[in-house]
Amino acid sequence: MRKPPYTLPAALTAAALAVPATAAALPADVTASQCIAGGGMIVISAVGDVSQGCTKRCTGGVHDGQTVL
């Protein structure tokens, strides 16, 4: 028996809605050691030229996408 065609889009929508709820529960900023302990790595990006500074983000792991202090 075939599944109705709306089953896959409904499952994808439910999964997409669940992600922001868990991301909102995480802290806004993490330390470098929290990022690494959570399985991520720190990516440093320049903002304009060197005098304007840089941004540090945790990539991968539990704290994916969060700013590193």
Side-chain angles (χ1 to χ4, degrees):
M1 185 168 138
R2 293 184 59 169
K3 290 183 179 180
Y6 57 83
T7 304
L8 180 60
L12 293 174
T13 301
L17 291 175
V19 171
T22 56
L26 297 173
D29 299 321
V30 296
T31 63
S33 54
Q34 287 173 325
C35 175
I36 293 168
M41 64 182 189
I42 301 167
V43 175
I44 301 171
S45 302
V47 179
D49 64 17
V50 178
S51 65
Q52 293 178 336
C54 61
T55 61
K56 295 176 275 189
R57 291 264 179 201
C58 186
T59 304
V62 177
H63 304 290
D64 189 32
Q66 295 181 5
T67 302
V68 175
L69 300 174

